[in-house]
Structures are given as C-alpha cells and as structure tokens.
Amino acid sequence: MMQRLGILCFLFVMFISEAKENKRLPLSDYFSETWNTRSGLPHNSINSIAQTEDGYLWIATWEGLARFNGQEFKLFTRTEINNLPDSGLRALTPTSNGGLYIAGSRGGISLYHQRQWDTLFSAPAMVNHIYQSKDSTLWLALENNGVYFRSKNSKKDSVVINNISAYRVLEDAQGIIWAATSDGLYKIVNKEATLITSKSGLPDSPIYTLLLTRSNRLLVGGERGVYILNGDKFEGLHPKLSSESISSLLEDNHGDLWFGTINKGIFRLSPDGLDKLDSENGLPANRVLSLLQDREKSIWVGTNAGLFRLREASFSTWTKKRGLSSDYVRTVLSHSDGSLWVGGSTGINRIYGNKVETFEGVQKGSPYSVLSLLEAENKEVWLGTYTSGVLKVQDNKIVPFLNRDNGLGSNEVRALLLDSKNRFWVGSAMGLTRVEQDGTLVQFTNEKDLPSGFILALSEDTQGNIWIGTGGGVVVFDIVSERFTALRFPKHFYTEYAFGFHIDKNYTWMATDRGLVRYTHANGAMAILGKEKGLPVDKLFQVVPDKQSFWLSSNRGIIQVNKKHVEKILNQEVSSPSIALKYQLYDEGDGMLSAQANGGSSPSATVHKDGTIWFATAKGVTTVEPSRIKASTQVELPTIIESFFVDGKATALPLKDESVLLPPGVSRLSFKYAGLSFIMPQRLSFQTRLDGFNTSWVERQEMTVAEYTNLPAGKYTFMVRAGYPNAQWQENQQVISFEIQAHFWQKLSFKLFIILCFILTIYAVYKYRLYHYKQVEKELTNRVEMQTHDLQEQANAFAYQATHDPLTGLPNRRAFDCWLCDNFSTYKTQNKPLTIAILDIDHFKRINDGWSHIVGDKVICAIAQVLQTGCEEKQEIARWGGEEFTILLPDMTAEQARVLCEKLRKAIESNDYSSIAKGINVTASFGVSDSLDVLDYDRLLSRADQALYRAKNNGRNRVEVV
C-alpha cells in the first residue's frame, strides 16, 4: 500500500506544475514531419538521436552518421571518420564539453570534438549504448558481451557483466550504475554487479531502457512494461503499459513521460492520461528505436522506417477528429462567455474548455451549412446559413428566425450585424435587410441603394455608420441622413470585392480582392497594399488586429504584418525609394492542415478572449497564439559556419582564436553557414560582416552563402549571425579570422624601396649635371676614377658575397671550408684539439609550411643571433646551408664543446619567437666531433655530420658527440 502511495506521490509531483496549463493536444493532432532516405538519410532505421551543445541534431543509422542543420543532412561514414571499423552506428552520447561519442556495430568508438574525430580502441562487440559517468569512466553496453567499462586514460576495458546482451547504462544521483540487460536489471556498486530479482518487483524478463527523471526517480522499461523505483521496490507505472514492450523512454519539458515500444508505436503519459500514436495515425512505423526532445521542445522519434518529429506548431487545428461537425469551416465567432463558435458546411459547434458541443434543430434535408455568426445582446447566437436563412440557438437547440418565406431577400446569408440602435442587419445574396426593433423589415437592393446585391461583410464604426462590403465595392450607410454613400475605389486599384473590415479611430481597413485598402476618415484618401508593394497574394478575406500586428487571411495562408510598417509603406511619397514589405506567411508547414483560409463569410477570423486568433479554413478551424510565436523567436538560436571555400576549394575551418593564412593572389572566398533552428529553418534571416572590408552588417535575407571576390591583401574577420523572423538579432555571431598574404610588390618595404630608388635616381641626375657644368675638363679623369672605384667596390662586394650568407650576414660554407682547411693541419701539427659542431633546426619545413618562408627566414636570423651571442670571438660561426649552421671551436675537445653546444641548444629552445609569429617554438639538434683521432678535415666533417643524424634519429633537440 505504501509503495503504491509513493508512486501516486511521484505522479502528483511530476504533474503538479502542469495543473494550470491547458490540456495537451492529442498526439494525432500534433504537427508532424517525417524524414527518410528520400530526404537524405543514409538508412531508415534511426538507432539513436542526440543534440550536441552547438545545436546540431545527430542521427545514428546502420549506414552511417547524419548531422542535421534543419535543412539538409551531412553524412559521416568510414570515409570521413578515420579508423572506424564499420559505418553501422548504434549509439550516440553527447559530452558535457560539446563533444559526441559514437559507437557502432563492430565495437568501433569515436569521439567528435572541435570538428575533429578521435577514434578510440574498439570494444569486443557491438555497442548498444555508451555512457560517461561523473568520474569520466566510459561504460559500454555490449551485444552478447555484457557491460564493460574503461577508466579515464585507460587503454583497456574491464568486464563487469559477461555473456549477456546489455542495452543501456545509467548513473543515478547516488552514483549507482544501473544496466538494462537481456537477463533483467543490474545494479552496479563499486564495479560489482547485482541482478535485481522479482523479489524487488520487476518481472523476470529483459530490460531494454532506463530513465532518470528530473526528480531523480528511476524508470525501467522492458519486455513487460514500465516500472518505477520506489524505495527499494519497483512498481508498475501504468496498468495499460504492463503488456507493452518498452524500447525507449523520455521525459519532456512539461514533465510528461514518453514511451517508445517495440511494435505499438509511442505512448505519452500526461495530466490528461495515457495517449497513443501509431502507424495508423501518422507514425512511419510502430517499431520505435529512440526518443529525444530538442532545445525547441520538439519530440523526435527514431523508427525503423525513418525519423519522425512531433511539435506543438505555431498553429493548431480543430477538425472532425476533435469533434467538429465539419472540416470545411466558413465562420468563427468569439463569444463573450469565453466560448468559441464554429460554423461549417454541416453544422455549428461550440468549443469551451477544450470540449466541443454540437447543436441540433429541426431541419429538412441536409444539415445546416453555416456562413455567418453573430452574438446578440442577450448572448444568444444567430446563424446565417447557405440555404435556410437566419437561425438562432435557443436552449441549446437551433430554431428558425428569418428566411425567404417571411420576407428575407435570399436564404443565403453571409453577414449579420446588430447595430448600436439594436437593429438587426442581414446581408444576403440578394441584398440587405434590416429588422427594426418592432420586427418590421426594411429592404435595400442593388437597384436603388447598393452597387451589388451580393453582401459579404457588415461593420459599424464609432459614429454608428454601417459599412457594407459587396461584390461590387463598398457603401456606407449614414446613421444621421439614413442614406447610402458609395466609396469609389481608384481605378488603378482594380478592386471589386470587399470581404471584411477593421475600423479604428483614424482608418477603415478593408480586405479586398486586390489587397489591403486603407480609408482615411479625415479626408477620404485611400491607399492599397497589394502585390505591387510586396504582398504575396491579391485576395484577402479578413483583417484581424492584434497589438502591433495585422493578421490577414487568404487562400494561400495567414499573413502577419506590422501595423506601423504597413502605415510607413502606405504613407511614403510616390517619388521616394520603395520600402520592401516585411511579412510572414504561415501555411501547412506551421501546423495548418490547409493553407486555404475561407472568406466571403463573416466573421471568417476573430481574436478570442484568451488572445488566440482563429481562422476558418478548408480543413478545420485553425488557431494561433501570437505569444507562442514570439516565445519561439526568443529561443537561443545557434549560428554555425559550416564550410569555408578558397577559390572553390574547401579549406579546414580554424579552431577558436586561430587564424587562417591564405596565399597571395586569392580571388574568391565563400562562406556557408546555417542557423540551427528546426522549427522554422526556411524563415531564418542572416546578416554578415567582414571586418577589414566593411564595418556594418549586411542583410542576407534567407541566403546561407556569402561570397567575396578580389579582396586586397590584409587581415580580415568574417562574422555571421542568424535571426528569427520579426525578432531582435541575438548575439550569436560566429567568426573566422584570416589573412591574405601580399605579393612582394604589394608590401610596404618594396614600395619604400621603389621610392628610395627614385629619390636616389633624382639625386644622381642632379649630381651628374652639377659636375658636368663645373668640371667639364676633368670629366674623363673623374669618370675613370669613379669607374675604377666602382669596380673595386664591386670586387670587394663580390669577395664578401662569395664568403658570406646574405640572409644572416654570417660567413658561408665556402668561408668555413677555408677556415677548416687553413687551420686543421696547423692544429694537428701542434697536437691541439680542433672541434667542429653542426646544428640543424628541427622540423624547419613545418615552420615554412605552417607559417611561411618569410617567418622561416626570420627564425634563421634569430638563431644566428643566438649563436653569435653564445660564442666567443675566436669561435667561428657559419651558415652551412638551408637550416644548418657550423661552429669551429679551436682548442676545445668534443666533450668540452658538448657543454657549449648544450648551452646553445637551450638558448635556442628558450628563445622568445613570439615577435616573429604566435605559437611558434623552435629547437635544434647538434652533432659534435673533434680532430684528435682523425687524419683529415673531410673525415672530421663526416663524423660531425654522423653525430647530427644520430641526434635527429634519437628524437631531435639534443647534442650528440662522435
């Protein structure tokens, strides 16, 4: 008894926060979408679904891994993931630092982190689940091999449970590890496993899945239902689930529990009870393999027939499935008592408290087809019908009121109005009828008063005047003069039908067959917002105001525009640059079952008491909660730069705080990016900025590619950010820094050199002409002397160049060979030691390739300076060639030279090269040999060279002596 009381308490805590919320939609009424191999998935069996910290959705299948950005799938197989033994993937587990573990059918395990794959050593069997516990231990649930774990930095796996199939591993708040296996549930404490037997309340059957709720309650799903741990006992969670084979579990943001089954689809347990969705109601297949709720609160279902998504869309729809009499809805009325009335082709319904009420009445032939609705002063509801005139709802029954038999011009009634004088107006297909308070009828026809007898809309303004929309324009009935005045639309409007009105203090807004017409009360001026000014459709049926927005119904969906923005467009001068209309068009992709909103009836759309807006459509009555749309645009929206192309070739994206170095002459750069929203990916807007080129954000609309051509050399930072429609830009920008190197003729040093040469040339010309005029008689002599002097300088320069390295200024190999040749025999004769050291810069090619040859030259110069500082004057230093230097050490043995070379090696290693390039580190290897036991200097050089190779082979950055 106490155990059952505990479960009831758990369910109470789980659902108490939901008690004040509206009831859930039935699962079959959620907006759903399906993706499969035709959509770009590599396989239809969705074994696991995960969302990483960056916002990407990842899908594991038997033919590889798919990454979803909301619009397209990017595939990862053995080709993209090095050393992965098989493309078939079974498990996905995100890490706390933004990474993702993947595990596959042959035991392969890889970690994706910072756009790099790190493939770990494989497990001995297929990995059904991989779990990282709080102490960073990896737990592996293996097919037929049980449960293994590998400690952090360990190179081997340890067995905890063997020779059974394990399906899932989980750690609870107390640090206990639970394992779902073919033998049942295991409890693992200190790496010791204990099987939970039937004495604890679980059946003797396989356990497939585990869930730790937000309240730290353990749920267990298996072959024979779902169980919850209460103290040290397990109890069945719901009696209707006791016979189901549960394959996956999920707790959503409401605290509702979702259950995926092996062959019955999915169940949801909420405050409304247990709800089910299977293949007969839209699910791709009844076998459910995985469940996930993403950051936007959508529920993702992995089946063996594709990926399925459920979400509470911006719009939801009531149809016959939810109790309406008709799917084809013509009119909708918000009643003052908080109910909503819906009129359709086969009757009238009242929606109140999420319940649908149907009304009956005396009717000959087919059911009532309701075209219009009206709430009277006594809160009665009046109905305008297609064939039965005007009806009333009295005592929950429909009764006749006015039709052609008792004076109505036509039984087709599309508009009803009760004016401020309590007179009842009826707009029909054959004119306008007014019912006076005493019951007498006054008829108005197109022959005398109206431009057309086909009445579509009626409305009363603040002065009490009646506005009538017809099939031939608009007329206004003046309440004082009791006369009709026709409004003449400008000819260029091409407007005939007026379907609906919204009247405010300054304007009357009219939904017409050519757009939204604004009539100014003060001066009678009219302006139109149509396709010419950016509206996506011609024909509008209803104008519904809501705070800062207008909601416009049409045959192609619901359009939302900003009032002030519309007024700004309509107020602009003809000669002014046109302002682009900003709007949102909502259709089937937003939850509507049909984008065709109906018109020609009144009201065909309305604002309800709770702030929702309702629209009559060809497939039910659709409702939208504007605050929900606004809330969806405030969800964090990650922006991702997905690829970077240089002259059409893909370039690796840099890590954070890194910069890409591009060669000179780059002509075209392309950036592909995405906003990771899965509920409105097609509506996202983007802005880009290229610091170094411009300082302002550039509107890219829905474009997901930015391209730049012929950028000059320099440093740049590309930035992109994504935004939801009609929302403020979030600070979610992503950046890539890069530098385009300059050709040598584009460098400042070259330009300064050219200027200097020009100045010197001018000066030389000046001097030449001065000497020409003053010393004509000495010209030949001076010229000879000058040429002689120049030749001597050239000879000296040639001699210097022949023996010195132009980069470092050190003696070159030729000079060093001369020194060695001149001194070797002398030192041998005097029996004095002469030592030679050869050093080579380690991995110098990486410096040239990674930073540039210019940086490499600077490194060579820096090392030359270190050598000059560390050696004495009598010790000759030379650049041997490339990245090699030689040092001639007189009167030193090889062991004495070792000490000096070790100091030089450390000096090179510890030298600060940050002024040359960030992140660069330089080391050098030394080979040392002396002359004590060699007979010629060639042999001395050879032995030093051998020592150098030994230093390089032994790991570099060391000194070796022969």
PDB file of all heavy atoms in Angstrom, residues 233-259:
ATOM      1  N   LYS A 233      11.828  -0.955  -3.883  1.00  0.00           N
ATOM      2  CA  LYS A 233      10.908  -1.795  -4.625  1.00  0.00           C
ATOM      3  C   LYS A 233      10.507  -1.116  -5.932  1.00  0.00           C
ATOM      4  O   LYS A 233      10.453   0.109  -6.029  1.00  0.00           O
ATOM      5  CB  LYS A 233       9.636  -2.081  -3.798  1.00  0.00           C
ATOM      6  CG  LYS A 233       9.878  -2.867  -2.523  1.00  0.00           C
ATOM      7  CD  LYS A 233      10.224  -4.323  -2.837  1.00  0.00           C
ATOM      8  CE  LYS A 233      10.352  -5.137  -1.551  1.00  0.00           C
ATOM      9  NZ  LYS A 233      10.681  -6.556  -1.841  1.00  0.00           N
ATOM     10  N   PHE A 234      10.219  -1.936  -6.941  1.00  0.00           N
ATOM     11  CA  PHE A 234       9.735  -1.438  -8.217  1.00  0.00           C
ATOM     12  C   PHE A 234       8.237  -1.693  -8.325  1.00  0.00           C
ATOM     13  O   PHE A 234       7.747  -2.751  -7.918  1.00  0.00           O
ATOM     14  CB  PHE A 234      10.451  -2.123  -9.383  1.00  0.00           C
ATOM     15  CG  PHE A 234      11.861  -1.650  -9.578  1.00  0.00           C
ATOM     16  CD1 PHE A 234      12.916  -2.264  -8.912  1.00  0.00           C
ATOM     17  CD2 PHE A 234      12.129  -0.586 -10.417  1.00  0.00           C
ATOM     18  CE1 PHE A 234      14.212  -1.833  -9.087  1.00  0.00           C
ATOM     19  CE2 PHE A 234      13.433  -0.148 -10.603  1.00  0.00           C
ATOM     20  CZ  PHE A 234      14.478  -0.765  -9.938  1.00  0.00           C
ATOM     21  N   GLU A 235       7.513  -0.695  -8.883  1.00  0.00           N
ATOM     22  CA  GLU A 235       6.082  -0.823  -9.081  1.00  0.00           C
ATOM     23  C   GLU A 235       5.751  -0.453 -10.529  1.00  0.00           C
ATOM     24  O   GLU A 235       6.410   0.404 -11.135  1.00  0.00           O
ATOM     25  CB  GLU A 235       5.316   0.111  -8.131  1.00  0.00           C
ATOM     26  CG  GLU A 235       5.380  -0.300  -6.667  1.00  0.00           C
ATOM     27  CD  GLU A 235       4.509  -1.512  -6.373  1.00  0.00           C
ATOM     28  OE1 GLU A 235       3.619  -1.806  -7.192  1.00  0.00           O
ATOM     29  OE2 GLU A 235       4.726  -2.161  -5.344  1.00  0.00           O
ATOM     30  N   GLY A 236       4.702  -1.102 -11.073  1.00  0.00           N
ATOM     31  CA  GLY A 236       4.261  -0.760 -12.418  1.00  0.00           C
ATOM     32  C   GLY A 236       3.806   0.689 -12.487  1.00  0.00           C
ATOM     33  O   GLY A 236       3.073   1.157 -11.598  1.00  0.00           O
ATOM     34  N   LEU A 237       4.226   1.414 -13.526  1.00  0.00           N
ATOM     35  CA  LEU A 237       3.906   2.835 -13.624  1.00  0.00           C
ATOM     36  C   LEU A 237       2.470   3.056 -14.066  1.00  0.00           C
ATOM     37  O   LEU A 237       1.795   3.967 -13.585  1.00  0.00           O
ATOM     38  CB  LEU A 237       4.866   3.525 -14.603  1.00  0.00           C
ATOM     39  CG  LEU A 237       4.742   5.038 -14.709  1.00  0.00           C
ATOM     40  CD1 LEU A 237       5.123   5.699 -13.403  1.00  0.00           C
ATOM     41  CD2 LEU A 237       5.605   5.577 -15.841  1.00  0.00           C
ATOM     42  N   HIS A 238       1.995   2.246 -15.015  1.00  0.00           N
ATOM     43  CA  HIS A 238       0.629   2.422 -15.523  1.00  0.00           C
ATOM     44  C   HIS A 238       0.115   1.057 -15.963  1.00  0.00           C
ATOM     45  O   HIS A 238       0.795   0.340 -16.688  1.00  0.00           O
ATOM     46  CB  HIS A 238       0.624   3.403 -16.693  1.00  0.00           C
ATOM     47  CG  HIS A 238      -0.724   3.927 -17.022  1.00  0.00           C
ATOM     48  ND1 HIS A 238      -1.654   3.203 -17.712  1.00  0.00           N
ATOM     49  CD2 HIS A 238      -1.320   5.128 -16.743  1.00  0.00           C
ATOM     50  CE1 HIS A 238      -2.761   3.915 -17.860  1.00  0.00           C
ATOM     51  NE2 HIS A 238      -2.585   5.087 -17.283  1.00  0.00           N
ATOM     52  N   PRO A 239      -1.086   0.708 -15.563  1.00  0.00           N
ATOM     53  CA  PRO A 239      -1.580  -0.652 -15.871  1.00  0.00           C
ATOM     54  C   PRO A 239      -1.699  -0.924 -17.363  1.00  0.00           C
ATOM     55  O   PRO A 239      -1.501  -2.052 -17.808  1.00  0.00           O
ATOM     56  CB  PRO A 239      -2.954  -0.694 -15.182  1.00  0.00           C
ATOM     57  CG  PRO A 239      -3.321   0.736 -14.935  1.00  0.00           C
ATOM     58  CD  PRO A 239      -2.039   1.472 -14.727  1.00  0.00           C
ATOM     59  N   LYS A 240      -2.010   0.103 -18.169  1.00  0.00           N
ATOM     60  CA  LYS A 240      -2.175  -0.128 -19.604  1.00  0.00           C
ATOM     61  C   LYS A 240      -0.848  -0.354 -20.310  1.00  0.00           C
ATOM     62  O   LYS A 240      -0.829  -0.737 -21.478  1.00  0.00           O
ATOM     63  CB  LYS A 240      -2.909   1.048 -20.240  1.00  0.00           C
ATOM     64  CG  LYS A 240      -4.370   1.146 -19.830  1.00  0.00           C
ATOM     65  CD  LYS A 240      -5.083   2.262 -20.586  1.00  0.00           C
ATOM     66  CE  LYS A 240      -6.552   2.330 -20.186  1.00  0.00           C
ATOM     67  NZ  LYS A 240      -7.260   3.414 -20.922  1.00  0.00           N
ATOM     68  N   LEU A 241       0.256  -0.093 -19.614  1.00  0.00           N
ATOM     69  CA  LEU A 241       1.576  -0.305 -20.214  1.00  0.00           C
ATOM     70  C   LEU A 241       2.195  -1.630 -19.793  1.00  0.00           C
ATOM     71  O   LEU A 241       3.295  -1.968 -20.241  1.00  0.00           O
ATOM     72  CB  LEU A 241       2.522   0.838 -19.840  1.00  0.00           C
ATOM     73  CG  LEU A 241       2.160   2.224 -20.370  1.00  0.00           C
ATOM     74  CD1 LEU A 241       3.092   3.275 -19.780  1.00  0.00           C
ATOM     75  CD2 LEU A 241       2.236   2.256 -21.896  1.00  0.00           C
ATOM     76  N   SER A 242       1.528  -2.348 -18.931  1.00  0.00           N
ATOM     77  CA  SER A 242       2.126  -3.557 -18.361  1.00  0.00           C
ATOM     78  C   SER A 242       2.362  -4.647 -19.402  1.00  0.00           C
ATOM     79  O   SER A 242       3.231  -5.495 -19.229  1.00  0.00           O
ATOM     80  CB  SER A 242       1.242  -4.096 -17.235  1.00  0.00           C
ATOM     81  OG  SER A 242      -0.047  -4.416 -17.745  1.00  0.00           O
ATOM     82  N   SER A 243       1.603  -4.613 -20.486  1.00  0.00           N
ATOM     83  CA  SER A 243       1.760  -5.654 -21.513  1.00  0.00           C
ATOM     84  C   SER A 243       2.572  -5.170 -22.711  1.00  0.00           C
ATOM     85  O   SER A 243       2.706  -5.897 -23.696  1.00  0.00           O
ATOM     86  CB  SER A 243       0.381  -6.111 -21.992  1.00  0.00           C
ATOM     87  OG  SER A 243      -0.343  -5.019 -22.551  1.00  0.00           O
ATOM     88  N   GLU A 244       3.101  -3.951 -22.630  1.00  0.00           N
ATOM     89  CA  GLU A 244       3.835  -3.399 -23.765  1.00  0.00           C
ATOM     90  C   GLU A 244       5.338  -3.637 -23.605  1.00  0.00           C
ATOM     91  O   GLU A 244       5.872  -3.604 -22.486  1.00  0.00           O
ATOM     92  CB  GLU A 244       3.582  -1.894 -23.901  1.00  0.00           C
ATOM     93  CG  GLU A 244       2.121  -1.515 -24.037  1.00  0.00           C
ATOM     94  CD  GLU A 244       1.480  -2.082 -25.289  1.00  0.00           C
ATOM     95  OE1 GLU A 244       2.224  -2.430 -26.235  1.00  0.00           O
ATOM     96  OE2 GLU A 244       0.236  -2.186 -25.324  1.00  0.00           O
ATOM     97  N   SER A 245       6.017  -3.841 -24.739  1.00  0.00           N
ATOM     98  CA  SER A 245       7.479  -3.957 -24.748  1.00  0.00           C
ATOM     99  C   SER A 245       8.057  -2.570 -24.988  1.00  0.00           C
ATOM    100  O   SER A 245       7.953  -2.019 -26.087  1.00  0.00           O
ATOM    101  CB  SER A 245       7.933  -4.918 -25.848  1.00  0.00           C
ATOM    102  OG  SER A 245       7.523  -6.232 -25.550  1.00  0.00           O
ATOM    103  N   ILE A 246       8.659  -2.022 -23.953  1.00  0.00           N
ATOM    104  CA  ILE A 246       9.136  -0.633 -23.991  1.00  0.00           C
ATOM    105  C   ILE A 246      10.590  -0.611 -24.448  1.00  0.00           C
ATOM    106  O   ILE A 246      11.462  -1.218 -23.816  1.00  0.00           O
ATOM    107  CB  ILE A 246       8.992   0.026 -22.610  1.00  0.00           C
ATOM    108  CG1 ILE A 246       7.558  -0.109 -22.097  1.00  0.00           C
ATOM    109  CG2 ILE A 246       9.420   1.480 -22.680  1.00  0.00           C
ATOM    110  CD1 ILE A 246       6.523   0.538 -22.970  1.00  0.00           C
ATOM    111  N   SER A 247      10.850   0.115 -25.528  1.00  0.00           N
ATOM    112  CA  SER A 247      12.209   0.177 -26.082  1.00  0.00           C
ATOM    113  C   SER A 247      12.934   1.470 -25.764  1.00  0.00           C
ATOM    114  O   SER A 247      14.163   1.532 -25.832  1.00  0.00           O
ATOM    115  CB  SER A 247      12.145   0.012 -27.611  1.00  0.00           C
ATOM    116  OG  SER A 247      11.312   1.014 -28.183  1.00  0.00           O
ATOM    117  N   SER A 248      12.210   2.552 -25.415  1.00  0.00           N
ATOM    118  CA  SER A 248      12.859   3.836 -25.128  1.00  0.00           C
ATOM    119  C   SER A 248      11.965   4.676 -24.239  1.00  0.00           C
ATOM    120  O   SER A 248      10.732   4.532 -24.243  1.00  0.00           O
ATOM    121  CB  SER A 248      13.190   4.585 -26.424  1.00  0.00           C
ATOM    122  OG  SER A 248      12.067   4.653 -27.270  1.00  0.00           O
ATOM    123  N   LEU A 249      12.607   5.572 -23.461  1.00  0.00           N
ATOM    124  CA  LEU A 249      11.904   6.416 -22.501  1.00  0.00           C
ATOM    125  C   LEU A 249      12.362   7.862 -22.664  1.00  0.00           C
ATOM    126  O   LEU A 249      13.510   8.124 -23.010  1.00  0.00           O
ATOM    127  CB  LEU A 249      12.180   5.962 -21.067  1.00  0.00           C
ATOM    128  CG  LEU A 249      11.669   4.590 -20.641  1.00  0.00           C
ATOM    129  CD1 LEU A 249      12.270   4.204 -19.289  1.00  0.00           C
ATOM    130  CD2 LEU A 249      10.153   4.584 -20.562  1.00  0.00           C
ATOM    131  N   LEU A 250      11.429   8.804 -22.363  1.00  0.00           N
ATOM    132  CA  LEU A 250      11.761  10.228 -22.440  1.00  0.00           C
ATOM    133  C   LEU A 250      10.869  10.999 -21.488  1.00  0.00           C
ATOM    134  O   LEU A 250       9.669  10.718 -21.374  1.00  0.00           O
ATOM    135  CB  LEU A 250      11.550  10.747 -23.878  1.00  0.00           C
ATOM    136  CG  LEU A 250      11.656  12.262 -24.081  1.00  0.00           C
ATOM    137  CD1 LEU A 250      13.091  12.725 -23.908  1.00  0.00           C
ATOM    138  CD2 LEU A 250      11.135  12.672 -25.452  1.00  0.00           C
ATOM    139  N   GLU A 251      11.460  11.981 -20.805  1.00  0.00           N
ATOM    140  CA  GLU A 251      10.689  12.949 -20.037  1.00  0.00           C
ATOM    141  C   GLU A 251      10.827  14.296 -20.725  1.00  0.00           C
ATOM    142  O   GLU A 251      11.939  14.775 -20.950  1.00  0.00           O
ATOM    143  CB  GLU A 251      11.201  13.039 -18.588  1.00  0.00           C
ATOM    144  CG  GLU A 251      10.399  14.031 -17.750  1.00  0.00           C
ATOM    145  CD  GLU A 251      10.968  14.198 -16.342  1.00  0.00           C
ATOM    146  OE1 GLU A 251      12.165  13.896 -16.142  1.00  0.00           O
ATOM    147  OE2 GLU A 251      10.225  14.648 -15.457  1.00  0.00           O
ATOM    148  N   ASP A 252       9.688  14.930 -21.087  1.00  0.00           N
ATOM    149  CA  ASP A 252       9.773  16.189 -21.817  1.00  0.00           C
ATOM    150  C   ASP A 252       9.794  17.377 -20.861  1.00  0.00           C
ATOM    151  O   ASP A 252       9.807  17.218 -19.635  1.00  0.00           O
ATOM    152  CB  ASP A 252       8.648  16.304 -22.852  1.00  0.00           C
ATOM    153  CG  ASP A 252       7.258  16.428 -22.216  1.00  0.00           C
ATOM    154  OD1 ASP A 252       7.162  16.748 -21.015  1.00  0.00           O
ATOM    155  OD2 ASP A 252       6.256  16.208 -22.938  1.00  0.00           O
ATOM    156  N   ASN A 253       9.780  18.586 -21.414  1.00  0.00           N
ATOM    157  CA  ASN A 253       9.914  19.792 -20.604  1.00  0.00           C
ATOM    158  C   ASN A 253       8.702  20.041 -19.718  1.00  0.00           C
ATOM    159  O   ASN A 253       8.786  20.772 -18.732  1.00  0.00           O
ATOM    160  CB  ASN A 253      10.135  21.006 -21.513  1.00  0.00           C
ATOM    161  CG  ASN A 253       8.975  21.246 -22.454  1.00  0.00           C
ATOM    162  OD1 ASN A 253       8.624  20.394 -23.255  1.00  0.00           O
ATOM    163  ND2 ASN A 253       8.358  22.402 -22.361  1.00  0.00           N
ATOM    164  N   HIS A 254       7.550  19.441 -20.058  1.00  0.00           N
ATOM    165  CA  HIS A 254       6.368  19.561 -19.205  1.00  0.00           C
ATOM    166  C   HIS A 254       6.386  18.570 -18.043  1.00  0.00           C
ATOM    167  O   HIS A 254       5.560  18.666 -17.142  1.00  0.00           O
ATOM    168  CB  HIS A 254       5.098  19.304 -20.031  1.00  0.00           C
ATOM    169  CG  HIS A 254       4.859  20.287 -21.123  1.00  0.00           C
ATOM    170  ND1 HIS A 254       4.680  21.631 -20.903  1.00  0.00           N
ATOM    171  CD2 HIS A 254       4.776  20.115 -22.468  1.00  0.00           C
ATOM    172  CE1 HIS A 254       4.490  22.249 -22.050  1.00  0.00           C
ATOM    173  NE2 HIS A 254       4.553  21.354 -23.017  1.00  0.00           N
ATOM    174  N   GLY A 255       7.292  17.603 -18.099  1.00  0.00           N
ATOM    175  CA  GLY A 255       7.274  16.517 -17.139  1.00  0.00           C
ATOM    176  C   GLY A 255       6.465  15.334 -17.624  1.00  0.00           C
ATOM    177  O   GLY A 255       6.324  14.336 -16.908  1.00  0.00           O
ATOM    178  N   ASP A 256       5.905  15.421 -18.845  1.00  0.00           N
ATOM    179  CA  ASP A 256       5.207  14.279 -19.419  1.00  0.00           C
ATOM    180  C   ASP A 256       6.210  13.180 -19.750  1.00  0.00           C
ATOM    181  O   ASP A 256       7.359  13.460 -20.105  1.00  0.00           O
ATOM    182  CB  ASP A 256       4.476  14.678 -20.701  1.00  0.00           C
ATOM    183  CG  ASP A 256       3.398  15.717 -20.441  1.00  0.00           C
ATOM    184  OD1 ASP A 256       3.069  15.942 -19.267  1.00  0.00           O
ATOM    185  OD2 ASP A 256       2.905  16.307 -21.425  1.00  0.00           O
ATOM    186  N   LEU A 257       5.764  11.929 -19.661  1.00  0.00           N
ATOM    187  CA  LEU A 257       6.611  10.781 -19.964  1.00  0.00           C
ATOM    188  C   LEU A 257       6.211  10.180 -21.302  1.00  0.00           C
ATOM    189  O   LEU A 257       5.018   9.988 -21.580  1.00  0.00           O
ATOM    190  CB  LEU A 257       6.492   9.721 -18.858  1.00  0.00           C
ATOM    191  CG  LEU A 257       7.007  10.156 -17.480  1.00  0.00           C
ATOM    192  CD1 LEU A 257       6.740   9.063 -16.456  1.00  0.00           C
ATOM    193  CD2 LEU A 257       8.482  10.496 -17.532  1.00  0.00           C
ATOM    194  N   TRP A 258       7.211   9.884 -22.122  1.00  0.00           N
ATOM    195  CA  TRP A 258       7.002   9.299 -23.444  1.00  0.00           C
ATOM    196  C   TRP A 258       7.611   7.897 -23.451  1.00  0.00           C
ATOM    197  O   TRP A 258       8.702   7.700 -22.916  1.00  0.00           O
ATOM    198  CB  TRP A 258       7.644  10.156 -24.527  1.00  0.00           C
ATOM    199  CG  TRP A 258       7.066  11.534 -24.640  1.00  0.00           C
ATOM    200  CD1 TRP A 258       7.192  12.542 -23.746  1.00  0.00           C
ATOM    201  CD2 TRP A 258       6.270  12.033 -25.722  1.00  0.00           C
ATOM    202  NE1 TRP A 258       6.527  13.665 -24.182  1.00  0.00           N
ATOM    203  CE2 TRP A 258       5.960  13.379 -25.398  1.00  0.00           C
ATOM    204  CE3 TRP A 258       5.804  11.498 -26.904  1.00  0.00           C
ATOM    205  CZ2 TRP A 258       5.190  14.185 -26.236  1.00  0.00           C
ATOM    206  CZ3 TRP A 258       5.036  12.298 -27.750  1.00  0.00           C
ATOM    207  CH2 TRP A 258       4.732  13.623 -27.415  1.00  0.00           C
ATOM    208  N   PHE A 259       6.914   6.971 -24.102  1.00  0.00           N
ATOM    209  CA  PHE A 259       7.351   5.586 -24.135  1.00  0.00           C
ATOM    210  C   PHE A 259       7.371   5.108 -25.584  1.00  0.00           C
ATOM    211  O   PHE A 259       6.337   5.123 -26.274  1.00  0.00           O
ATOM    212  CB  PHE A 259       6.397   4.693 -23.318  1.00  0.00           C
ATOM    213  CG  PHE A 259       6.095   5.232 -21.948  1.00  0.00           C
ATOM    214  CD1 PHE A 259       4.960   6.006 -21.728  1.00  0.00           C
ATOM    215  CD2 PHE A 259       6.946   4.999 -20.887  1.00  0.00           C
ATOM    216  CE1 PHE A 259       4.673   6.517 -20.473  1.00  0.00           C
ATOM    217  CE2 PHE A 259       6.670   5.503 -19.619  1.00  0.00           C
ATOM    218  CZ  PHE A 259       5.531   6.266 -19.414  1.00  0.00           C
TER     219      PHE A 259
END
